[in-house]
DNA sequence: CTGTTAGCGCATTCAC
DNA sequence: GTGAATGCGCTAACAG
């Protein structure tokens, strides 16, 4: 039950060093000897003490996290969760370096990745822009021996070891079903609001949404996408215009940020009219309150804390060449209705977009 | 950044032993000296290496998990996840003992808790039956110095340190809103299917459901609860009878187990009729497939793996008198539609109830 | 190829 | 009150 390397060495009739060699399969052990040690190991049901091993090894994990300097609530909460994680991580011998880059700036992201390649940490987590230069930079990084994971937005056909984030296509399809079912019995059209279809997450959500809508709720008109560039002001104008020009909007799917504008436009709409059914992304002070007030009817979200912690665990596992627990690292699409909103999110009231 | 007890001892001009005394606030240090050490500590930004500490201390966590010997999929997956966790936990010096007790057997649960009190592990996790004898047994356990957490079903007004599970009231309310919105535009009645209202989770879900339904969708008729005792056969008969006698069932909320029966009854119903909208609890092979086929329209679920891992983390934190990360330990109510069902759940096809 | 030895960072006897 | 010494389970130089 509680056997140590000493026990193995003794029952196998070898020395500690030899046990260590087979344990970390290093060269320099005769096949015969190796086998003897192996037998002793599972005879005693040995499980190595990782803590002691890391202590002796003096191992220190160094990870770089590249995040955009965006000021929207989601990115902010990602940064907040990272700060928290950094503190906890220190006690577990992992050191995390936060690198901020301008948002949506391909050159900056490539430069940051190349800087990591030079810096040679044990691992890197980054929010990808899905372009070839980024793919190439990622390739350089991993080929130099650094483990890389993508966060929130993936990099297709790349050398990243893992993607930490939700399935955006599924999110779009889920939104379609929610809206389709909620709008059951109504006749109006559905409007879609995105930041920009140039961004991969948004594109994937939109594709999923449109496809599912067409398949499962045929006959429901989907209006052309409105691109609000994730800016509250712009989004507000778009929605105001929309609601002013068309009286028959049955539902709205807001798949990007800038929900402040959406909510304000909805609130300004005449109360006696049938309000459109609204599904939006990301839970923050604004969307949560709108959900409570009935301006929004469902929120799809991803848990920033979970994503950060998962990224660290995955990076650590990669560094140690250990397997991960798939169930633990699956990032769920969270669905919030008025009723399952955590009571405790009055804290997040300091939001921007 | 990487200061050790030695550094502190040196800069404070004391010995290791003294540093250790203030670190674990033990007696035998003059206030003056203690202060000097404290100053040195935060001057150097010291963070103690928990791994090394545990190694030196030879600390071993021993936890007991008391689970019912139920054969339904949820309990089974809870056990499976526990087995997995046990393996991983061993490497981190925690030893977990699984204790199976007959389901819904108050005397057995009390006996198991008392056995734990005698056995004196570091912590105990158990699925509570919400009764006074259980409360008293829990009291005895915690008063003997063992940390206790409830799992899945809570014990009201008790001495447990933490509840690891979903908010069942919120789950019920969420189901109400889903069904209410989905059934928008229809006129029929809503049927509710429970295992037994004697069980606390079920009672809470039902209360939440009924209240939310009455408030948010007034005028919608809710039929009296049908109690299927979580047995597939019984549930099937209840639903068959229901659908045969009433043509106007707009929705069904199945808040307990035995969903196999529900699904079979639904599948047997004439396809040309308007199918009722169905919300059920717990994701398993049966409910997932029914969701795909459109017999069920939403599943509310709790993640057994998350619950097990959370329980272990919380128990460990209690044993070390450490704080937990609230966000990490919040068990979410998961909502699955056809579209966000993990592709990978064909594995769970071996289900019973 | 294999064994000896000296720590990693900390907790814990024991002397002083 | 305080300090010096020993060892937890493991790894990593070194010797042989």
């Amino acid at each position: 039950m509680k056997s140590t390397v000493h026990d193995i060495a003794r029952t196998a009739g070898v020395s500690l060093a030899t046990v260590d060699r087979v344990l970390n399969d290093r060269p320099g052990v005769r096949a015969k000897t190796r086998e003897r040690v192996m037998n002793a190991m599972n005879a005693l049901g040995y499980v190595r003490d990782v803590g002691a091993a890391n202590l002796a090894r003096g191992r220190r994990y160094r990870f770089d996290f590249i995040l955009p300097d965006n000021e929207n609530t989601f990115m902010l909460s990602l940064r907040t969760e990272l700060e928290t994680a950094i503190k906890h991580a220190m006690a577990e011998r992992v050191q995390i370096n936060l690198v901020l880059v301008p948002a949506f700036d391909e050159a900056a992201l490539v430069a940051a990745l190349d800087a990591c390649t030079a810096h040679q940490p044990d691992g890197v987590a980054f929010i990808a822009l899905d372009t070839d230069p980024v793919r190439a930079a990622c390739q350089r990084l991993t080929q130099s021996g650094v483990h890389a994971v993508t966060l929130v937005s993936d990099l297709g056909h790349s050398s990243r070891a893992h993607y930490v984030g939700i399935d955006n296509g599924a999110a779009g399809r889920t939104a379609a079903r929610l809206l389709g079912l909620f709008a059951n019995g109504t006749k109006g059209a559905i409007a879609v609001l995105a930041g920009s279809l140039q961004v991969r997450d948004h594109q994937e959500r939109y594709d999923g949404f449109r496809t599912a809508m067409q398949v499962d709720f045929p006959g429901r008109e989907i209006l052309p996408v409105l691109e609000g560039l994730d800016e509250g002001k712009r989004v507000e104008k778009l929605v105001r215009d929309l609601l002013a020009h068309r009286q028959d909007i049955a539902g709205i799917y807001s798949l990007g940020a800038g929900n402040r504008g959406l909510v304000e436009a909805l609130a300004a709409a005449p109360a006696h009219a049938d309000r459109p059914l609204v599904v939006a992304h990301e839970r923050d002070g604004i969307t949560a309150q709108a959900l409570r007030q009935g301006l929004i009817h469902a929120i799809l979200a991803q848990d920033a804390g979970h994503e950060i912690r998962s990224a660290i665990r995955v990076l650590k596992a990669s560094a140690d060449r250990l397997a991960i627990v798939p169930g633990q690292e699956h990032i769920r699409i969270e669905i919030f209705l008025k009723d399952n909103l955590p009571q405790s999110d009055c804290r997040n009231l300091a939001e921007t977009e």
Side-chain angles (χ1 to χ4, degrees), chain A:
Chain A
M1 269 301 170
K2 40 180 174 183
S3 57
T4 76
V5 276
H6 288 92
D7 302 326
I8 299 178
R10 192 156 14 82
T11 69
V14 296
S15 79
L16 288 182
T18 304
V19 174
D20 183 69
R21 285 185 188 101
V22 356
L23 215 66
N24 302 314
D25 41 36
R26 264 187 287 257
V29 185
R30 251 191 338 209
K32 275 274 191 166
T33 321
R34 151 164 283 120
E35 199 166 339
R36 283 230 310 282
V37 176
M38 300 281 262
N39 289 340
M41 274 177 46
N42 33 12
L44 297 183
Y46 173 76
V47 280
R48 127 217 260 143
D49 185 325
V50 205
N54 283 347
L55 174 59
R57 198 181 314 212
R59 196 169 193 350
R60 239 128 190 136
Y61 305 86
R62 296 182 323 150
F63 299 141
D64 288 347
F65 273 66
I66 306 176
L67 298 181
D69 62 1
N70 259 353
E71 291 300 311
N72 69 54
T73 45
F74 179 68
M75 287 304 165
L76 285 177
S77 72
L78 216 48
R79 296 221 287 273
T80 307
E81 293 290 349
L82 185 58
E83 305 291 351
T84 308
I86 285 178
K87 291 197 194 73
H88 279 78
M90 268 215 301
E92 291 162 46
R93 10 180 38 89
V94 348
Q95 194 179 47
I96 295 173
N97 207 327
L98 169 58
V99 179
L100 284 182
V101 296
F104 300 119
D105 184 336
E106 178 190 272
L109 180 55
V110 168
L113 286 168
D114 284 337
C116 289
T117 307
H119 180 227
Q120 285 285 299
D122 297 296
V124 172
F126 68 103
I127 300 186
L129 294 176
D130 194 34
T131 71
D132 285 328
V134 173
R135 233 180 305 281
C138 178
Q139 178 82 5
R140 288 191 290 277
L141 181 64
T142 55
Q143 226 146 35
S144 80
V146 179
H147 300 275
V149 304
T150 47
L151 199 59
V152 177
S153 194
D154 199 9
L155 183 54
H157 305 290
S158 74
S159 53
R160 94 283 190 282
H162 190 88
Y163 161 59
V164 179
I166 62 169
D167 178 339
N168 285 296
R173 293 195 300 275
T174 302
R177 188 166 312 274
L178 283 173
L179 223 40
L181 286 172
F182 286 178
N184 205 355
T186 69
K187 291 199 206 58
I190 304 277
V192 179
L193 218 52
S196 157
L197 292 188
Q198 309 286 66
V199 186
R200 185 181 169 101
D201 327 17
H202 291 198
Q203 180 69 55
E204 285 181 350
R205 288 175 191 171
Y206 176 57
D207 287 345
F209 181 81
R210 193 167 32 88
T211 308
M213 210 69 195
Q214 284 165 354
V215 170
D216 294 309
F217 303 94
R220 179 68 76 172
E221 181 189 7
I222 302 178
L223 302 179
V225 177
L226 300 173
E227 297 184 271
L229 301 180
D230 290 358
E231 294 170 18
K233 284 279 189 319
R234 206 180 288 253
V235 171
E236 182 175 353
K237 183 169 181 341
L238 286 171
V239 178
R240 276 184 189 273
D241 288 355
L242 174 75
L243 296 180
H245 289 40
R246 299 204 44 156
Q247 309 298 323
D248 69 330
I249 301 299
I252 299 178
Y253 175 36
S254 166
L255 57 79
N259 283 322
R260 167 186 298 257
L262 168 66
V263 171
E264 283 176 4
L266 289 170
H272 58 273
D274 268 350
R275 291 199 182 288
L277 291 153
V278 180
V279 175
H281 269 266
E282 305 317 339
R283 178 168 67 87
D284 57 26
I286 289 182
T287 54
Q289 204 193 336
L291 188 59
R292 283 207 195 79
Q293 294 173 199
L295 292 172
I296 290 181
H297 302 83
I299 297 175
L300 301 188
Q302 50 193 319
D303 187 295
H306 191 178
E307 293 181 319
I308 291 292
R309 289 186 293 267
S310 177
I312 295 174
R313 277 193 302 264
V314 170
L315 247 19
K316 216 163 140 186
S318 302
D320 290 339
R321 304 194 144 62
L322 252 44
I324 61 176
V325 182
Q328 188 170 15
E329 310 311 344
H330 173 76
I331 308 294
R332 293 164 192 76
I333 299 169
E334 303 194 48
I335 303 177
F336 292 100
L337 304 182
K338 198 181 203 166
D339 316 279
N340 62 333
L341 217 41
Q343 316 86 315
S344 55
D345 63 357
C346 308
R347 40 171 187 175
N348 278 24
L349 283 176
E351 14 40 9
T352 52
E353 283 305 313

